[in-house]
Amino acid sequence: MAGPDDPDPAGPAGRGDPARSHERTGRSTQQTTGRTPSGSADAQGAHMTQPAPEVMPGLEPPSVPAAGERAEDGGAASRPARPAGPGGAALQLQLDAFLAHAGEALIGFRRDLHMYPELGYAEHRTTRRIAERLAEAGLAPRILPRGTGLICDIGPEEGPTVALRADIDALPLQDEKDVAYRSTVPGVAHACGHDVHTAMVLGAGLFLAQQARAGLLPGRVRLLFQPAEETPGGALDVMAAGGIAGVDRAFALHCDPRIEVGQLGLRTGPITAACDKVYVKVTGPGGHTARPHLTADLVYALAKIVTELPSALSRRVDPRSSLSLVWGRVSAGSVANAIPDDGIAEGTVRCLDDEAWHRAPEMMKALLHSVAAAYDVEASLEYVRGVPPTVNEAASVQMFRDAAAQVIGDEAAVPTPQSLGGEDFGWYLESIPGALARLGVRTPGSATEYDLHRGDFDVDESCIGVGVRVLTATALTALWDGGRQGESEPVEGAALA
């Protein structure tokens, strides 16, 4: 997850502002650089290979009630029979057995990735290791066109499709931990938990593949192992390769070292913010500081732009959107007695509201030209899209909540605050409903405080089994119940919102 010190969104993937699949298309200006996925969500991946489920060793399926015992469902006889609830006792027993057998291997898989981290779009070994493990389980993963990241389908094509996403890239940080699985790559470390995300989605996929073999999946689960979340840009590559074509809902977990293992942080509505970068260049004739009236006082004009734009921009939108502009670099001139002829300012724009995010470039351009004109200087704006806000759908959050209650406990779900950090899972939720939840990774009762994007970041590895349980139960809930149509909860003021 990109945090307060988000990497440059203009990295290897290019600068992005893809067209949205719903009717409120993002507005752009000539100063807004962008990249566009190839077609609508349905059109994307029209040539995607759909692997048939393979027969593989699995757990014994639980007893399935007869269709007549489910008359209360109203027409349930036309749907595949299922055990008593997607998170019921039968599922609990199967997850216990699966994790007793596979839990240590998943921890070992995470440690292997941790020792050999790879940056965005360089995750070749990581991709190969994931693909090999899925192939061993009889699945047919498909590597993305750029050579890193992959997509893998589980279960029948009939019925709904649910996606589980893991990001697989590491950070350009030195691993500072003194552990046996410390990074062997200088200056690169899994300091955001993406190795944990990968192990959890892999584990959920392996378990669900066994469920598919037993005929217990009423639809398809798509595993998205996404490259380059930190760059960002990897989500756009997944979408362009058809990763969300035909997907009804998408879910993801992200490590949170502030929450204890066994807890799941939930929030309806915006959970992370949009994060864009802006580059302003101001030019003028320059001159001597003794005669500012005979030229354009460029430094003074730049100072007015830097101070006035943030407050003016925030007053053009609803305050609840949390639209903010913060400068990180300002530069002009080289000597004390000369007015320079150019200067620059660079900063970030963050926002929790989707509508305000789409309006931000044109609003900022208009405000910039207004201030610049008052001081007779020229100003240009380059507005670089990073990621949209990640806005959790209420029904999808409820699925997470139900799943956590069934496979962890009734008190597992806890409120989690909004973050102004960026997360490119928001690109998926621009097109399809879904939710991102925060998984507790701190040892219960521990006084040790870790944080994301730090060289000493680590997790209590028992969180991997918890994540497998939550992702599995959430996927099954989404497949069986289809999203509690018509049910919603308030975005503001809800107990877990």
Side-chain angles (χ1 to χ4, degrees):
M1 174 184 287
D5 299 320
D6 305 273
D8 190 351
R15 292 166 175 170
D17 184 20
R20 305 168 64 197
S21 65
H22 49 78
E23 83 179 277
R24 192 170 67 243
T25 304
R27 303 168 186 168
S28 63
T29 67
Q30 291 182 347
Q31 289 73 30
T32 305
T33 56
R35 49 182 298 195
T36 305
S38 54
S40 66
D42 288 335
Q44 295 163 17
H47 305 293
M48 180 174 178
T49 302
Q50 306 294 350
E54 301 283 347
V55 176
M56 55 181 289
L59 300 170
E60 289 298 320
S63 58
V64 179
E69 298 175 14
R70 305 179 65 248
E72 70 276 8
D73 281 0
S78 62
R79 294 162 52 194
R82 61 165 170 157
L91 178 63
Q92 282 275 31
L93 291 173
Q94 291 197 10
L95 282 167
D96 289 345
F98 173 79
L99 290 169
H101 172 71
E104 288 301 317
L106 291 174
I107 290 174
F109 191 87
R110 178 257 169 169
R111 292 186 175 188
D112 177 76
L113 298 186
H114 200 88
M115 292 177 66
Y116 301 99
E118 296 170 304
L119 297 176
Y121 293 118
E123 313 98 328
H124 296 284
R125 180 185 184 276
T126 302
T127 298
R128 184 173 66 253
R129 293 282 289 117
I130 299 167
E132 290 170 351
R133 187 63 190 90
L134 293 170
E136 289 170 4
L139 298 170
R142 181 171 72 89
I143 296 175
L144 298 179
R146 293 185 65 152
T148 65
L150 57 89
I151 298 167
C152 185
D153 284 349
I154 301 168
E157 295 185 21
E158 298 77 18
T161 298
V162 174
L164 302 178
R165 175 268 208 169
D167 34 14
I168 67 175
D169 56 325
L171 284 164
L173 291 175
Q174 185 68 31
D175 194 342
E176 299 174 359
K177 299 186 300 299
D178 184 16
V179 294
Y181 50 88
R182 181 179 178 177
S183 171
T184 62
V185 183
V188 183
H190 272 293
C192 198
H194 294 188
D195 53 338
V196 176
H197 304 167
T198 301
M200 292 187 298
V201 171
L202 174 64
L206 295 178
F207 177 84
L208 290 165
Q210 297 181 90
Q211 296 291 99
R213 173 181 176 268
L216 296 174
L217 286 187
R220 182 170 51 187
V221 176
R222 179 169 296 166
L223 309 181
L224 305 176
F225 292 96
Q226 178 204 305
E229 188 274 332
E230 297 288 353
T231 302
L236 301 179
D237 293 297
V238 171
M239 294 169 68
I244 64 171
V247 172
D248 297 291
R249 272 192 169 79
F251 297 93
L253 294 179
H254 198 291
C255 293
D256 191 334
R258 300 166 299 178
I259 303 177
E260 293 185 350
V261 173
Q263 295 182 321
L264 188 71
L266 298 179
R267 185 178 189 87
T268 301
I271 187 169
T272 65
C275 182
D276 302 333
K277 286 195 174 183
V278 293
Y279 302 85
V280 172
K281 183 174 183 179
V282 181
T283 58
H288 200 289
T289 56
R291 294 176 289 276
H293 59 292
L294 299 181
T295 184
D297 193 342
L298 186 135
V299 173
Y300 187 83
L302 182 59
K304 298 296 284 186
I305 289 170
V306 168
T307 55
E308 291 185 12
L309 251 63
S311 59
L313 189 64
S314 67
R315 280 154 180 79
R316 291 290 185 95
V317 297
D318 189 323
R320 292 172 295 183
S321 70
S322 298
L323 179 65
S324 67
L325 165 62
V326 179
W327 302 107
R329 177 172 179 251
V330 179
S331 177
S334 57
V335 295
N337 63 344
I339 297 173
D341 55 13
D342 65 66
I344 61 169
E346 301 178 9
T348 59
V349 173
R350 299 178 188 270
C351 183
L352 292 171
D353 178 72
D354 193 63
E355 180 67 27
W357 178 66
H358 281 281
R359 293 176 53 206
E362 63 183 39
M363 288 191 296
M364 188 168 178
K365 178 185 176 183
L367 290 168
L368 174 64
H369 289 170
S370 176
V371 176
Y375 298 96
D376 292 326
V377 295
E378 296 291 329
S380 63
L381 169 68
E382 182 183 5
Y383 193 105
V384 182
R385 285 295 195 201
V387 295
T390 300
V391 183
N392 285 343
E393 183 219 21
S396 298
V397 172
Q398 185 63 43
M399 291 175 184
F400 261 137
R401 183 179 294 115
D402 291 344
Q406 292 163 354
V407 297
I408 308 178
D410 291 337
E411 305 302 319
V414 297
T416 193
Q418 292 172 328
S419 168
L420 289 181
E423 163 60 72
D424 78 354
F425 189 68
W427 282 124
Y428 304 117
L429 302 192
E430 283 264 286
S431 297
I432 57 175
L436 171 77
R438 297 191 175 119
L439 184 76
V441 300
R442 183 165 62 88
T443 302
S446 173
T448 303
E449 292 286 341
Y450 296 112
D451 199 2
L452 302 173
H453 290 217
R454 282 182 39 163
D456 62 352
F457 172 78
D458 206 355
V459 304
D460 181 328
E461 291 176 313
S462 63
C463 71
I464 294 175
V466 176
V468 170
R469 292 176 186 274
V470 170
L471 288 170
T472 298
T474 302
L476 291 172
T477 299
L479 289 177
W480 283 113
D481 295 343
R484 301 173 177 267
Q485 295 300 319
E487 179 178 324
S488 63
E489 55 187 276
V491 172
E492 301 170 78
L496 293 175

